[in-house]
Amino acid sequence: MSTVTHLNPPALHSSPAYSQATVAVAGRTLYIGGQNGTDAEGRISGGIAEQSRQALRNVLTLLAAAGAGPEQVAKLTVYLAAGVDPAQAYAASAEVWGPHPSAVTVLLVAALGRPEALVEIEAVAALG
């Protein structure tokens, strides 16, 4: 497994939820395309909290399929549909993701590819 080094210089705000930057050792890289809160049958249901949990479970499933875990994730990008409460998404995400901060970008967008989708999460992981 590769190592992801977290950079959080004292001159910048420190958060337990994310790293300001990460350094991933060059090698095999896993790019996980945007995951909505879909179940195994492709259904999306529930509000932002339920969809966020499911989207991250989908990311974890793909990491496991590549022989990796959240500790190998260098970057997450989270797209939230306009009008949702980001605080609910963050709280739900922490339940599933645990204490594995990575570099994170969160964007509020007008809409996602599926009208019922409230969140989409993509990831980049260093596999070594």
Side-chain angles (χ1 to χ4, degrees):
M1 289 291 165
S2 70
T3 301
V4 175
T5 303
H6 301 271
L7 302 177
N8 292 295
L12 297 177
H13 171 72
S14 179
S15 169
Y18 62 85
S19 293
Q20 291 291 346
T22 57
V23 177
V25 177
R28 291 179 48 231
T29 304
L30 173 64
Y31 297 91
I32 296 176
Q35 297 297 305
N36 298 122
T38 57
D39 64 16
E41 286 77 39
R43 292 184 302 254
I44 296 177
S45 63
I48 186 60
E50 183 179 338
Q51 287 189 30
S52 294
R53 284 189 291 268
Q54 183 61 47
L56 279 173
R57 283 192 293 266
N58 293 346
V59 169
L60 290 170
T61 297
L62 289 162
L63 287 166
E71 61 279 358
Q72 276 81 45
V73 172
K75 175 104 171 36
L76 289 171
T77 303
V78 180
Y79 301 89
L80 297 172
V84 302
D85 182 359
Q88 288 183 25
Y90 298 147
S93 296
E95 294 172 23
V96 175
W97 196 251
H100 302 287
S102 67
V104 176
T105 298
V106 179
L107 301 111
L108 292 174
V109 298
L112 296 166
R114 290 183 60 178
E116 70 275 32
L118 301 175
V119 63
E120 187 166 318
I121 302 173
E122 56 186 38
V124 178
L127 302 180

